[in-house]
């Protein structure tokens, strides 16, 4: 299991505890402002996948729970097994039939609020085929097990699988050449033009760029930096990583890129058509990473179009639509003719 320092564990413990009292999570901006000396630690926990940021709020990830020494985390780990066993038995009897969470809680003799809270962590694994978007609050929320649940002995095996993927990702990152080294390598290679062009002539950053999560924006900064300096292979790989980061943020680290994109579609985050475009973008990045493919600048612009379309749809438009909804005046009932206007 990944080694973690005392301060990092304390941050995870506090976020977890506050999330159990207010299950929507902790407002990330407020939490960070109260602990400004630990901003780098929080950035690291978020980058490494131990902290999740959803709609501006912090929650700990499923892989973080074993690091948290708290009675509630132990309760959660025990409850996972009870809930998982019940869902597995239910699948054998009724196959992929949606299971209402209120009925599941009653069957297990557990508090419904707790069952909803624990399932909000459990769905990071790849044992289910469908679920309600708002597990925590929707009165008729359901979760639908998939056949893959039969292949898993206990829920702790789901956590171990996620930890394995996470460890591999951290190892890959450790072995990668950081951008700071590239800044030193490129000039000595005769490419002494590695500077930051904030205006990015020919490919300006979208006007909603600052609305993106900090970790996504930090990665994209390096992608745009490469584009502004005429690079092609590195931006291609960076956009592939960006798509991976968004997938993990939305559906968890559920396996291969194919599994993640399928989960994005199944959860309603993207359409079939968008999934196909993302598959092409991922393939282009993989070709650059593993087969030396150096796409044209026209191809890079297409990749950016696809990635920006995804980011805007996930992180920008939902908030914009809520603002729009609040500005719409309510319908007025016309009692004279029985119609609403």
């Amino acid at each position: 299991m990944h080694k973690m320092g005392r301060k990092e564990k304390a941050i995870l413990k506090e976020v977890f505890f506050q999330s159990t009292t207010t299950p929507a999570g902790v407002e990330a901006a407020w939490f960070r402002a109260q602990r400004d000396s630990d901003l780098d630690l929080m950035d690291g926990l978020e980058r490494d996948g131990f902290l999740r940021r959803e709609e501006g709020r912090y929650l700990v990830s499923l892989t973080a729970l074993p690091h948290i020494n708290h009675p509630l985390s132990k309760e959660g780990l025990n409850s996972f097994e009870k809930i998982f066993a019940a869902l597995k038995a239910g699948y054998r009897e009724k196959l992929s039939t949606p299971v209402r969470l209120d009925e599941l809680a009653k069957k297990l003799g557990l508090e419904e609020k707790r069952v909803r809270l624990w399932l909000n962590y459990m769905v990071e694994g790849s044992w289910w085929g469908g679920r309600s978007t708002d597990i925590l609050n929707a009165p008729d929320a359901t979760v639908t097990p998939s056949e893959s649940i039969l292949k898993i002995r206990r829920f702790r095996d789901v956590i171990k699988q996620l930890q394995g993927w996470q460890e591999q990702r951290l190892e890959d990152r450790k072995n990668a050449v950081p951008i700071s080294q590239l800044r030193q390598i490129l000039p000595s290679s005769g490419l002494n033009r590695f500077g930051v062009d904030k205006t990015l002539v020919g490919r300006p950053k979208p006007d909603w760029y600052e609305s993106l999560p900090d970790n996504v924006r930090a990665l994209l900064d390096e992608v745009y930096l490469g584009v502004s300096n005429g690079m092609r292979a590195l931006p291609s790989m960076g956009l592939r990583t960006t798509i991976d980061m968004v997938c993990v943020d939305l559906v968890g680290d559920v396996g291969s890129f194919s599994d993640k994109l399928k989960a994005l579609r199944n959860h309603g985050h993207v359409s079939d058509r968008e999934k196909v475009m993302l598959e092409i973008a991922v393939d282009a990045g993989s070709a650059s990473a593993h087969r030396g493919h150096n796409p044209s600048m026209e191809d890079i612009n297409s990749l950016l179009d696809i990635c920006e379309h995804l980011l805007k749809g996930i992180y920008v438009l939902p908030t914009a639509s809520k603002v729009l909804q609040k500005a719409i005046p309510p319908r007025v009932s016309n009692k004279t003719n029985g119609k609403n206007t």
Side-chain angles (χ1 to χ4, degrees):
M1 188 166 67
H2 178 74
K3 292 184 179 179
M4 195 175 294
R6 180 179 56 82
K7 283 190 174 182
E8 293 165 309
K9 290 180 180 179
I11 291 170
L12 293 176
K13 183 177 180 179
E14 189 168 356
V15 171
F16 172 73
F17 177 73
Q18 292 195 35
S19 296
T20 58
T21 56
T22 54
V26 180
E27 186 179 354
W30 174 85
F31 188 83
R32 290 170 67 86
Q34 307 309 306
R35 296 154 189 81
D36 54 353
S37 62
D38 295 329
L39 291 178
D40 288 341
L41 289 178
M42 285 183 274
D43 288 341
L45 288 169
E46 193 172 349
R47 182 183 61 249
D48 293 343
F50 293 106
L51 269 182
R52 290 188 290 152
R53 192 189 296 234
E54 297 180 3
E55 296 186 354
R57 304 184 75 81
Y58 269 154
L59 297 101
V60 301
S61 69
L62 186 57
T63 56
L65 286 183
H67 293 277
I68 299 173
N69 184 19
H70 192 282
L72 280 174
S73 64
K74 295 178 181 177
E75 175 192 327
L77 292 169
N78 290 329
S79 297
F80 292 160
E81 300 298 346
K82 295 177 183 178
I83 295 169
F84 187 75
L87 291 171
K88 189 173 181 178
Y91 181 87
R92 290 194 183 102
E93 183 180 346
K94 298 182 180 179
L95 302 180
S96 293
T97 301
V99 179
R100 284 186 58 122
L101 304 193
D102 52 356
E103 295 175 0
L104 177 62
K106 187 179 297 184
K107 180 179 179 179
L108 292 171
L110 298 175
E111 183 184 356
E112 182 183 337
K113 180 181 177 181
R114 280 283 194 263
V115 171
R116 290 173 178 268
L117 174 64
W118 302 137
L119 270 168
N120 197 46
Y121 290 103
M122 292 174 68
V123 293
E124 288 186 45
S126 54
W127 54 269
W128 54 278
R131 69 177 180 91
S132 298
T133 303
D134 190 359
I135 281 180
L136 292 171
N137 301 304
D140 56 350
T142 63
V143 64
T144 306
S146 71
E147 187 185 73
S148 62
I149 199 171
L150 299 177
K151 300 178 182 179
I152 305 168
R153 193 168 63 91
R154 294 184 178 182
F155 192 77
R156 69 184 66 171
D157 296 325
V158 174
I159 299 177
K160 287 180 181 177
Q161 183 184 54
L162 292 174
Q163 288 174 330
W165 290 336
Q166 187 178 40
E167 292 288 349
Q168 184 60 55
R169 204 166 58 245
L170 294 177
E171 185 67 22
D172 290 345
R173 184 182 300 142
K174 186 172 67 175
N175 294 332
V177 178
I179 197 72
S180 58
Q181 288 186 26
L182 287 176
R183 292 177 192 273
Q184 299 172 4
I185 293 169
L186 289 171
S188 64
S189 303
L191 297 174
N192 196 11
R193 54 187 178 82
F194 197 80
V196 179
D197 179 2
K198 294 185 178 180
T199 60
L200 288 172
V201 176
R203 187 73 199 198
K205 295 178 181 178
D207 55 8
W208 41 262
Y209 187 76
E210 295 300 324
S211 301
L212 297 175
D214 292 342
N215 58 333
V216 174
R217 202 167 61 245
L219 177 58
L220 281 178
D221 280 340
E222 298 189 3
V223 170
Y224 285 111
L225 176 61
V227 173
S228 70
N229 284 274
M231 296 179 183
R232 292 169 289 165
L234 286 176
S236 176
M237 290 183 268
L239 290 171
R240 172 181 179 266
T241 304
T242 302
I243 294 171
D244 184 39
M245 184 181 291
V246 174
C247 289
V248 172
D249 184 25
L250 295 176
V251 299
D253 197 343
V254 296
S256 66
F257 264 114
S258 178
D259 294 330
K260 291 170 185 172
L261 294 178
K262 182 179 179 181
L264 274 190
R265 182 196 62 194
N266 290 344
H267 298 172
H269 295 299
V270 299
S271 65
D272 286 337
R273 186 175 168 187
E274 290 168 330
K275 174 178 173 288
V276 171
M277 290 191 294
L278 289 170
E279 286 173 341
I280 294 171
V282 167
D283 285 345
S286 297
S288 295
H290 305 299
R291 301 191 295 277
H293 176 55
N294 202 20
S296 67
M297 287 309 298
E298 183 179 357
D299 290 339
I300 290 297
N301 277 304
S302 295
L303 288 172
L304 278 164
D305 288 340
I306 293 170
C307 197
E308 288 176 358
H309 175 78
L310 171 69
L311 295 172
K312 186 174 184 180
I314 297 298
Y315 296 114
V316 181
L317 292 182
T319 301
S321 65
K322 290 178 182 178
V323 174
L324 177 63
Q325 185 180 39
K326 291 179 181 179
I328 299 174
R331 293 187 177 189
V332 179
S333 177
N334 188 335
K335 295 182 180 181
T336 59
N337 56 18
K339 295 181 179 179
N340 290 331
T341 58

